[in-house]
Amino acid sequence: MTKLEKVVFWYILLLLPAIVLGECTCDSEDEERNKPEALKYKMVAIASILIASAIGVCIPVLGKAIPALSPEKNFFFIIKAFAAGVILATGFIHVLPDAFESLTSPCLKENPWGNFPFSGFIAMVSAMGTLMVDTYATSYFSNKNDTKNGLVAQSGDEGGAIHVHSHGHAHGSSSLLGDSSSELLRYRVVSQVLEMGIIVHSVIIGIALGASESPKTIRPLVGALTFHQFFEGMGLGGCIAQAKFKTRAVAIMALFFSLTTPVGIAIGLGITNVYDENSPTALIVEGVFNSASAGILIYMALVDFLAADFMHPRMQGNGKLQLGANVSLLLGAGLMALIAKWA
């Protein structure tokens, strides 16, 4: 999965700038263009977003250094609920509306773009595709790990020892080891799929900001995207912490997340003179990528974050923890909704 992440990351970085260039068939809105002032805001954006992203993704990962942030503590469920709210709101409020706006633009032909809700359709297909990838990747790595550790279910005499790879219904050290290993692999698949979904959106918003020459457009985006990346980083960091990757893998994943938006801004700076956000090609590419990203983020937030944690035995047996997680979820979603208003 790590190699796949790298391929997707470089594919987006190399392909997107080339395919968003096109002839403008729809007049751009009149904006106050000021290149020198816009450049200053872009430099501030690169620095602030980079720092905020790095801090956000590292906070949950510091569980070893800060006991309260350890995945074994109840407080970690509160943090993940907040992060789930952030990611869910990002998908529904930030990414999906942008996709609808792009694919329903008057700059695109009425047929087929105006005759079918492509944004919702692509998001739906993306969510189902994420489910398939999630399922097959987890199954593949679980079977591979079971074979490696000799935990494959054995059938034979009724009196023979049977090692069952289950979800807590069997007893014995082999069963417990299988459950623990399967859960760990699950977290690893989830964290990598989530990062791919975030990377797609982060690069797109970075390019859009970097290509803009209007200080009035960039100014509110700097603060909004800084908070956006910080909270989104907390969500990803929580998944990475539970996955218990080696230090090198954690550093690579955190670095990838921290750099995607600043690198997108840098690409946008490089193509400012030839990029046209209202060209049909740019609108279609941004709309399709944002729709796919929204589907991934919504699926991950609902299934891999909320459903998994809120149905966890520790959560089910603790009323105060349930209340705290619900409040944290609403707070995370609410903050991201406010950020959408700023942007």
Side-chain angles (χ1 to χ4, degrees):
M1 290 293 292
T2 302
K3 290 182 178 179
L4 179 59
E5 271 187 17
K6 293 179 180 178
V7 170
V8 172
F9 176 73
W10 288 112
Y11 177 80
I12 295 170
L13 291 186
L14 295 175
L15 181 62
L16 189 57
I19 56 182
V20 296
L21 307 181
E23 295 181 1
C24 179
T25 57
C26 185
D27 293 335
S28 301
E29 296 180 1
D30 292 331
E31 292 182 322
E32 297 180 6
R33 299 182 183 276
N34 187 329
K35 281 189 177 183
E37 188 177 353
L39 182 60
K40 292 179 183 178
Y41 284 118
K42 291 174 189 179
M43 294 298 104
V44 172
I46 289 175
S48 62
I49 291 174
L50 178 62
I51 294 171
S53 299
I55 294 175
V57 76
C58 287
I59 286 177
V61 177
L62 295 176
K64 293 181 179 180
I66 306 175
L69 298 177
S70 172
E72 283 73 33
K73 301 291 185 179
N74 285 344
F75 184 66
F76 190 80
F77 282 86
I78 305 295
I79 295 176
K80 279 196 71 181
F82 180 86
V86 168
I87 292 172
L88 190 62
T90 297
F92 275 118
I93 298 176
H94 290 259
V95 189
L96 197 56
D98 287 347
F100 272 104
E101 185 179 351
S102 296
L103 295 182
T104 57
S105 170
C107 300
L108 297 179
K109 294 180 180 180
E110 182 69 19
N111 187 26
W113 304 105
N115 298 328
F116 186 79
F118 281 100
S119 299
F121 175 74
I122 295 170
M124 178 188 70
V125 172
S126 175
M128 292 190 294
T130 305
L131 168 65
M132 295 174 189
V133 171
D134 210 356
T135 303
Y136 285 116
T138 302
S139 176
Y140 171 77
F141 285 114
S142 294
N143 292 335
K144 185 177 179 181
N145 187 72
D146 287 352
T147 302
K148 182 179 178 181
N149 292 285
L151 297 176
V152 179
Q154 299 177 1
S155 59
D157 297 335
E158 292 183 2
I162 300 177
H163 302 279
V164 182
H165 178 66
S166 66
H167 295 280
H169 301 294
H171 301 280
S173 60
S174 294
S175 174
L176 292 175
L177 179 59
D179 288 344
S180 176
S181 178
S182 177
E183 189 176 54
L184 187 61
L185 286 167
R186 174 74 179 154
Y187 286 137
R188 291 184 175 181
V189 171
V190 166
S191 63
Q192 293 180 62
V193 173
L194 176 61
E195 180 156 22
M196 283 194 292
I198 291 174
I199 282 174
V200 172
H201 176 57
S202 296
V203 173
I204 290 174
I205 59 176
I207 290 176
L209 189 151
S212 175
E213 295 180 355
S214 171
K216 288 181 67 176
T217 300
I218 299 172
R219 195 182 300 118
L221 283 176
V222 175
L225 290 180
T226 298
F227 283 102
H228 178 282
Q229 291 299 108
F230 174 78
F231 292 133
E232 209 168 53
M234 287 185 65
L236 178 61
C239 264
I240 294 174
Q242 285 186 303
K244 297 181 181 178
F245 286 108
K246 293 182 180 179
T247 304
R248 181 182 176 185
V250 171
I252 291 174
M253 293 183 73
L255 188 64
F256 260 62
F257 170 75
S258 302
L259 289 177
T260 46
T261 303
V263 168
I265 295 173
I267 293 173
L269 278 167
I271 62 174
T272 300
N273 295 327
V274 290
Y275 177 86
D276 178 18
E277 63 181 6
N278 288 323
S279 72
T281 308
L283 290 168
I284 292 170
V285 171
E286 289 178 11
V288 169
F289 273 110
N290 274 332
S291 298
S293 180
I296 293 173
L297 294 178
I298 292 169
Y299 168 86
M300 299 298 289
L302 291 174
V303 178
D304 290 325
F305 277 71
L306 296 177
D309 285 352
F310 277 63
M311 296 301 162
H312 194 282
R314 188 186 297 180
M315 181 82 76
Q316 291 290 306
N318 190 329
K320 290 182 178 179
L321 181 58
Q322 287 183 34
L323 177 62
N326 281 303
V327 171
S328 184
L329 169 65
L330 294 173
L331 184 61
L335 282 173
M336 289 307 290
L338 288 176
I339 291 173
K341 183 178 180 180
W342 295 348

